[in-house]
Amino acid sequence: MAEPRRTGPRVRSIAAHRGFADALVAGLVPRYREDGFGLARLTLLVPSSRAARTLSEAFIRHAGENGMGGLLMPRMIAVGDLDLDEKLGPALDPLGATDIPPACDPVRRWLTLDRLIAEERAAEGLDALPGRARLNLAREMARTIDRLLVEEKTVADLLGDAVLDSVAELAEHWKRAIRLFARVAARWQAELAQRGEVDAATRRNLLFDHAARRWKEVPPPHPVIAAGVTSAAPALARLLRVVAELPEGAVVLPDCDLAMDDAAWDELGLAGAAAEPGGPVFGAADAVTHPQYHLKLLLNRMGVNRAEVQPWHRRGMTAAEPARSRAISSLFLPPQASRAWVGLDADRRRLDGVRLMTCAAIEEEAQAIALLVRQALEQPAKRIAVVAADRGLARRVVQHLERWNIAADDSAGRPLALTPAGRLFGLLAEIAAKGPDPASLVAAFGHPLVRAWDDGARREWLTGLRVFDRALRGPSPAPGLEPLREIAGKAKIGAWWDEAEALIAPLADWPQDIPLAEALARLSAAAEAFARTAIWEREDGRALGQMVEELRGMAASLGTMIETADLAGVLRDQMEAVAVRPGYGGHPRVAIYGLLEARMARADLVICAGLNEGSWPQAPGADALLAPAILRAMGVPGAEFRIGLAAHDLAGAMGAPQVVLSRSLRDAEGPTLPSRFLLRVEALLGDDLEREHLEFTVPALLPHLDRQRPPADKYPRPAPEPSAALRDVPIRVTALDRLLGDPYQFYAQAILGLRQLDPLAADPFSDPALRGTLVHDILDTWHKAKATEPGLALAPFAAAHFEKKRVHPLFRALWQPRLISAMERFERMIADDAAEQGREVLATEIDGEMTFDGVRIIGRADRIDRLADGSLAIVDYKTGAPPSKTQVTAGYALQLGLLGLIAQEGRFSNKKTGQVVTGEATRFEYWSLGKARKEEGFGFRETPMRIDKARTGIEPGDYLPFHADKLALAISRFIRGTDPFTARENPDYKGYNEYDQLMRLEEWLVRMSGPDSSTGGGAA
């Protein structure tokens, strides 16, 4: 690769089809390798430590391919990337630069900015932000500060004429945001100067300038090559210019399009080069989303003309044909230049080896990608890379690959919050912030790290937890540990709860505000109590430990306070920013990359996954503090700049010999739109798309991936016929409707004893049954309280009761006012009845039973009143609409009549008070809390009997005999008889649906009207 010495800058470009890392190594080894020294005298400046690993692997592959027994590799220096939170390579830091101030700690900056934001907002008379929102704003402000510093902009630049002119045209909220940013940033810089520190971005710029001056004055005696560095930061661009002019230096760029004509290159826009002295360096029409834009910006800042860039002529091991680079260049032509597509030659649009795959859903896409990987691994030595911007999709692919025992690690890692250690720490923070919520408690107690050191101890622990979980189902208990202790006692797991309470006791009753360092210390101690040292082990534990220690130490020195209620959210946000990457040990020929990790990497087959808008490219997030017009006026690239980087990532990936571009029509959130890049590929291919480039085989294989099971027999309509002994069960007054309307539901509930499992922390306002229970409880306790406080008003009593219940605020806001309004009307109705009719409330929520045809009938009356003539009135409360008279007549609403039969033939009794109620029931009423039908507001009553000029209903004299006949019919057919308990026997019955899945309703209901609608049966 020898070449004549040049006087100008030495800049090279490796085309996409050559494969950057392998092609670079193929050129460096023969030129710079020395006997006895190998490549040890060569220094490579690389973008990041990840790029260094990629190049190391390329050197190893090259040595193995060429039969080298060993190879001393070059020194690789990472110039650092603020987005990756990496340190500058040791050769540039410190490089003898003792006069450069040290960088401030990023955690100190974050917490200090939080304090400054609070002080500045208070000084401007603005409302105080919640702690979590303020810390997030501080994090965003730190990113904006870095963004400006990388571009060598300061707070003073916000006062420039161009910026002030732009500010005048902005909305008021932008003006407030800019003013807050400027004041906070100025105070922060003053504090840095006082401590003799600078921001990390500033130190990075100073180090670059120091290295550039040193190397320009005294060129290094060994070769220096900058490889793959595409950051266009001004200070780095100056350093690269110096490297390009060194006697043995060069800059090698990835896929700088040298085939693009000058008109298309000019169409990209200003890209950092003002059209006239003092003019703007970024234009509103700049094609910042183009994959070559950031390279043009870099060349302009280096002072290098594109004509001076020379092509790299070596090919990598996984190089594609040159036609691929020509097609990629055509693919991403800017708008005006893309008109040339109409007459484009075939060799300029040829994408042989590129396939497009579309799947119905994201899960199907992940499965198809895994199958492609499995298929490719059948070819020896073939390497496969899956590149995905969507980390959820990448995790799905990893899980599907486990089907074939293929261990593929996602090199982009997982957020710390999603790892076992991070999840447990977050759950404990939730308990400390919000109290011992049932869902958080069960999740924390059942975490895989808890009691993991002893299988036997964990087994016993989980046994107690399952009992506790079952006992917690339903509405949330009252706050605090005492209600939980009572629940555990009733479940007979008191000893287990003693252990559990000792674990969570340190998380209870925290003050409203707490020092952040103290909160972290308490959480750390609690985590160790739960999991011992396992909380700090493995990759995720070490990452958690490092995060906690850094945050705790800095918070202690700064005296940072935090609201306890914000603690869980703050820690979750912080853990989301920490990526936990797997160790080594995955499949040697399979790699799963994010977009950053995929740069410079190459494989024989590259699968670009998740090519949907919002994923690849990701939606550009606007700066929350500086408007786009302000950034443009300051000479800072806008948020759309990252779309161009994503396009360049795709262009590099498409240079592989075989490429699959994959997307799904739906993701986890709903329908998707294809990526703008994918649409360009389809448009470029034109008529060749369906003929040569669509991947049909793998999606067609997916339905046959699992062993095909023989088709199942049609499931018959259930009609079980249990034995006489099993049929002999009591009938609840609320269950007779089911027995006559849908016998199978009665069978499942009363004979099989199956009950629907309530969720943890069930919200009474979102479930009609639980809402009814809550209302019944309020009215019952109010009636009982009136025995000692006759003047007790219902509305404040009910409001106090609602306050004690932990229900969702939205449901409470919607339901509480109407329920209290209805109960106030009930209170007036009760008082009027007493005054006008001599009617009095006799008992509430009282149990009763009788024996009818040898069968126990049991039930509970919501309320029983004594009328003036000594007879009884049975009242049933309804939170919604009461049953219609048609339903009662059809035999599908029989509860009130059965309660009347119990009063007449049996008795009601209260075991606690000894009260007994019997007598003839002559009035039956539904008291509904729904919207009144004949007047405004909520709350009304009606009777199913035909009285008071009613035209429908059951005659009073026939009411109880009617119910007795229905009860006798049910007993003769199902309890004492042999009729099957047929599912949905009466389609008109509007019952419950909690047993629909058990009866497999949807499998046979569609056949009910067909020729095979015969009833099936089965023994119990």
Side-chain angles (χ1 to χ4, degrees), residues 15-45:
H17 75 278
R18 296 182 181 276
F20 185 87
D22 290 325
L24 179 71
V25 169
L28 293 179
V29 172
R31 171 158 186 172
Y32 294 108
R33 184 185 181 196
E34 302 178 22
D35 292 338
F37 291 96
L39 297 173
R41 288 169 50 83
L42 173 65
T43 297
L44 293 180
L45 301 182

Short mmCIF file of all heavy atoms in Angstrom, two decimals, residues 15-45:
data_model
loop_
_atom_site.label_atom_id
_atom_site.label_comp_id
_atom_site.label_asym_id
_atom_site.label_seq_id
_atom_site.Cartn_x
_atom_site.Cartn_y
_atom_site.Cartn_z
N ALA A 15 -15.35 2.44 1.06
CA ALA A 15 -16.71 2.31 0.56
C ALA A 15 -17.49 1.28 1.36
O ALA A 15 -16.91 0.35 1.95
CB ALA A 15 -16.69 1.94 -0.92
N ALA A 16 -18.82 1.43 1.37
CA ALA A 16 -19.67 0.58 2.21
C ALA A 16 -19.52 -0.89 1.85
O ALA A 16 -19.55 -1.76 2.73
CB ALA A 16 -21.12 1.01 2.08
N HIS A 17 -19.35 -1.21 0.56
CA HIS A 17 -19.32 -2.61 0.18
C HIS A 17 -18.05 -3.32 0.61
O HIS A 17 -18.00 -4.55 0.64
CB HIS A 17 -19.49 -2.74 -1.35
CG HIS A 17 -18.26 -2.36 -2.12
ND1 HIS A 17 -17.95 -1.05 -2.43
CD2 HIS A 17 -17.25 -3.12 -2.64
CE1 HIS A 17 -16.83 -1.01 -3.11
NE2 HIS A 17 -16.38 -2.25 -3.26
N ARG A 18 -17.00 -2.58 0.96
CA ARG A 18 -15.73 -3.20 1.33
C ARG A 18 -15.72 -3.72 2.77
O ARG A 18 -14.94 -4.62 3.08
CB ARG A 18 -14.58 -2.21 1.14
CG ARG A 18 -14.39 -1.79 -0.31
CD ARG A 18 -13.21 -0.84 -0.48
NE ARG A 18 -13.05 -0.43 -1.87
CZ ARG A 18 -12.40 -1.13 -2.79
NH1 ARG A 18 -11.82 -2.27 -2.47
NH2 ARG A 18 -12.32 -0.68 -4.02
N GLY A 19 -16.57 -3.18 3.64
CA GLY A 19 -16.55 -3.60 5.04
C GLY A 19 -15.45 -2.87 5.79
O GLY A 19 -14.26 -3.21 5.65
N PHE A 20 -15.81 -1.86 6.58
CA PHE A 20 -14.81 -0.93 7.10
C PHE A 20 -13.71 -1.61 7.90
O PHE A 20 -12.52 -1.47 7.59
CB PHE A 20 -15.49 0.14 7.96
CG PHE A 20 -14.54 1.21 8.42
CD1 PHE A 20 -14.29 2.31 7.62
CD2 PHE A 20 -13.87 1.11 9.63
CE1 PHE A 20 -13.40 3.30 8.02
CE2 PHE A 20 -12.98 2.09 10.04
CZ PHE A 20 -12.75 3.18 9.24
N ALA A 21 -14.07 -2.34 8.94
CA ALA A 21 -13.04 -2.89 9.84
C ALA A 21 -12.12 -3.86 9.12
O ALA A 21 -10.89 -3.77 9.22
CB ALA A 21 -13.70 -3.57 11.03
N ASP A 22 -12.69 -4.81 8.37
CA ASP A 22 -11.86 -5.81 7.69
C ASP A 22 -11.04 -5.18 6.58
O ASP A 22 -9.88 -5.56 6.37
CB ASP A 22 -12.75 -6.92 7.12
CG ASP A 22 -13.36 -7.78 8.22
OD1 ASP A 22 -12.69 -7.99 9.24
OD2 ASP A 22 -14.51 -8.22 8.07
N ALA A 23 -11.62 -4.24 5.83
CA ALA A 23 -10.86 -3.58 4.77
C ALA A 23 -9.74 -2.73 5.36
O ALA A 23 -8.62 -2.69 4.81
CB ALA A 23 -11.80 -2.70 3.94
N LEU A 24 -9.99 -2.04 6.47
CA LEU A 24 -8.95 -1.25 7.12
C LEU A 24 -7.79 -2.13 7.54
O LEU A 24 -6.61 -1.82 7.27
CB LEU A 24 -9.54 -0.53 8.33
CG LEU A 24 -8.56 0.33 9.13
CD1 LEU A 24 -8.19 1.58 8.35
CD2 LEU A 24 -9.17 0.72 10.48
N VAL A 25 -8.10 -3.25 8.19
CA VAL A 25 -7.05 -4.15 8.65
C VAL A 25 -6.28 -4.72 7.46
O VAL A 25 -5.05 -4.85 7.50
CB VAL A 25 -7.67 -5.28 9.50
CG1 VAL A 25 -6.66 -6.39 9.77
CG2 VAL A 25 -8.20 -4.71 10.81
N ALA A 26 -7.02 -5.07 6.39
CA ALA A 26 -6.35 -5.63 5.22
C ALA A 26 -5.35 -4.66 4.61
O ALA A 26 -4.35 -5.08 3.99
CB ALA A 26 -7.40 -6.02 4.18
N GLY A 27 -5.57 -3.35 4.77
CA GLY A 27 -4.62 -2.38 4.26
C GLY A 27 -3.53 -2.03 5.26
O GLY A 27 -2.39 -1.75 4.87
N LEU A 28 -3.84 -2.02 6.55
CA LEU A 28 -2.85 -1.61 7.56
C LEU A 28 -1.78 -2.67 7.77
O LEU A 28 -0.59 -2.32 7.93
CB LEU A 28 -3.56 -1.32 8.89
CG LEU A 28 -4.50 -0.11 8.94
CD1 LEU A 28 -5.13 0.02 10.32
CD2 LEU A 28 -3.75 1.17 8.58
N VAL A 29 -2.16 -3.92 7.80
CA VAL A 29 -1.20 -4.97 8.15
C VAL A 29 -0.03 -5.03 7.17
O VAL A 29 1.15 -4.99 7.59
CB VAL A 29 -1.91 -6.34 8.27
CG1 VAL A 29 -0.88 -7.46 8.44
CG2 VAL A 29 -2.87 -6.33 9.45
N PRO A 30 -0.25 -5.11 5.86
CA PRO A 30 0.92 -5.19 4.98
C PRO A 30 1.76 -3.93 4.96
O PRO A 30 2.96 -3.99 4.71
CB PRO A 30 0.29 -5.47 3.60
CG PRO A 30 -1.11 -5.02 3.71
CD PRO A 30 -1.51 -5.23 5.12
N ARG A 31 1.15 -2.78 5.24
CA ARG A 31 1.93 -1.54 5.17
C ARG A 31 2.73 -1.28 6.44
O ARG A 31 3.88 -0.85 6.39
CB ARG A 31 1.01 -0.36 4.90
CG ARG A 31 1.74 0.97 5.04
CD ARG A 31 1.10 2.09 4.33
NE ARG A 31 1.96 3.28 4.39
CZ ARG A 31 1.75 4.39 3.74
NH1 ARG A 31 0.72 4.47 2.93
NH2 ARG A 31 2.55 5.43 3.87
N TYR A 32 2.13 -1.52 7.60
CA TYR A 32 2.76 -1.09 8.85
C TYR A 32 3.33 -2.24 9.68
O TYR A 32 3.95 -1.98 10.71
CB TYR A 32 1.73 -0.32 9.70
CG TYR A 32 1.32 0.99 9.08
CD1 TYR A 32 0.05 1.14 8.51
CD2 TYR A 32 2.20 2.06 9.03
CE1 TYR A 32 -0.34 2.34 7.93
CE2 TYR A 32 1.83 3.27 8.45
CZ TYR A 32 0.57 3.40 7.90
OH TYR A 32 0.20 4.59 7.32
N ARG A 33 3.15 -3.46 9.26
CA ARG A 33 3.70 -4.56 10.04
C ARG A 33 5.21 -4.61 9.89
O ARG A 33 5.74 -4.50 8.78
CB ARG A 33 3.08 -5.88 9.57
CG ARG A 33 3.53 -7.07 10.42
CD ARG A 33 3.00 -8.36 9.85
NE ARG A 33 3.41 -9.50 10.65
CZ ARG A 33 3.35 -10.75 10.25
NH1 ARG A 33 2.88 -11.03 9.04
NH2 ARG A 33 3.73 -11.72 11.04
N GLU A 34 5.91 -4.76 11.03
CA GLU A 34 7.37 -4.84 11.03
C GLU A 34 7.80 -6.14 11.69
O GLU A 34 7.16 -6.61 12.64
CB GLU A 34 7.98 -3.66 11.80
CG GLU A 34 7.59 -2.30 11.25
CD GLU A 34 8.18 -1.17 12.08
OE1 GLU A 34 9.20 -1.43 12.77
OE2 GLU A 34 7.63 -0.07 12.06
N ASP A 35 8.85 -6.71 11.19
CA ASP A 35 9.37 -7.94 11.79
C ASP A 35 9.77 -7.69 13.24
O ASP A 35 10.49 -6.74 13.54
CB ASP A 35 10.58 -8.45 11.01
CG ASP A 35 10.20 -8.93 9.61
OD1 ASP A 35 9.01 -9.25 9.43
OD2 ASP A 35 11.06 -8.94 8.72
N GLY A 36 9.29 -8.52 14.10
CA GLY A 36 9.61 -8.40 15.52
C GLY A 36 8.74 -7.44 16.28
O GLY A 36 8.64 -7.52 17.50
N PHE A 37 8.14 -6.50 15.58
CA PHE A 37 7.30 -5.51 16.25
C PHE A 37 5.82 -5.62 15.87
O PHE A 37 4.96 -5.08 16.57
CB PHE A 37 7.78 -4.08 15.93
CG PHE A 37 9.11 -3.76 16.55
CD1 PHE A 37 10.27 -3.89 15.79
CD2 PHE A 37 9.20 -3.32 17.85
CE1 PHE A 37 11.50 -3.59 16.35
CE2 PHE A 37 10.42 -3.02 18.41
CZ PHE A 37 11.59 -3.16 17.66
N GLY A 38 5.58 -6.32 14.78
CA GLY A 38 4.20 -6.40 14.33
C GLY A 38 3.66 -5.01 14.04
O GLY A 38 4.27 -4.23 13.30
N LEU A 39 2.53 -4.66 14.62
CA LEU A 39 1.91 -3.36 14.44
C LEU A 39 2.03 -2.49 15.70
O LEU A 39 1.30 -1.51 15.85
CB LEU A 39 0.43 -3.52 14.09
CG LEU A 39 0.12 -4.25 12.77
CD1 LEU A 39 -1.38 -4.49 12.65
CD2 LEU A 39 0.62 -3.44 11.58
N ALA A 40 2.95 -2.86 16.57
CA ALA A 40 3.03 -2.19 17.87
C ALA A 40 3.39 -0.72 17.73
O ALA A 40 3.08 0.08 18.62
CB ALA A 40 4.04 -2.90 18.76
N ARG A 41 4.08 -0.32 16.64
CA ARG A 41 4.47 1.09 16.48
C ARG A 41 3.34 1.94 15.90
O ARG A 41 3.47 3.16 15.83
CB ARG A 41 5.69 1.18 15.57
CG ARG A 41 6.97 0.67 16.23
CD ARG A 41 8.10 0.53 15.22
NE ARG A 41 8.28 1.72 14.41
CZ ARG A 41 8.99 2.81 14.78
NH1 ARG A 41 9.55 2.82 15.98
NH2 ARG A 41 9.10 3.84 13.99
N LEU A 42 2.26 1.30 15.49
CA LEU A 42 1.14 2.02 14.90
C LEU A 42 0.15 2.47 15.99
O LEU A 42 -0.18 1.69 16.88
CB LEU A 42 0.41 1.13 13.88
CG LEU A 42 -0.89 1.67 13.29
CD1 LEU A 42 -0.64 2.92 12.45
CD2 LEU A 42 -1.58 0.60 12.44
N THR A 43 -0.33 3.70 15.90
CA THR A 43 -1.36 4.22 16.80
C THR A 43 -2.63 4.49 16.00
O THR A 43 -2.58 5.18 14.97
CB THR A 43 -0.89 5.51 17.49
OG1 THR A 43 0.24 5.22 18.31
CG2 THR A 43 -2.00 6.08 18.37
N LEU A 44 -3.73 3.93 16.49
CA LEU A 44 -5.03 4.15 15.85
C LEU A 44 -5.91 4.99 16.76
O LEU A 44 -6.08 4.66 17.94
CB LEU A 44 -5.73 2.82 15.57
CG LEU A 44 -5.10 1.90 14.51
CD1 LEU A 44 -5.93 0.64 14.37
CD2 LEU A 44 -5.01 2.62 13.16
N LEU A 45 -6.43 6.08 16.24
CA LEU A 45 -7.45 6.85 16.94
C LEU A 45 -8.81 6.33 16.48
O LEU A 45 -9.14 6.40 15.29
CB LEU A 45 -7.33 8.34 16.63
CG LEU A 45 -6.00 9.02 16.98
CD1 LEU A 45 -6.09 10.52 16.64
CD2 LEU A 45 -5.66 8.83 18.44
#
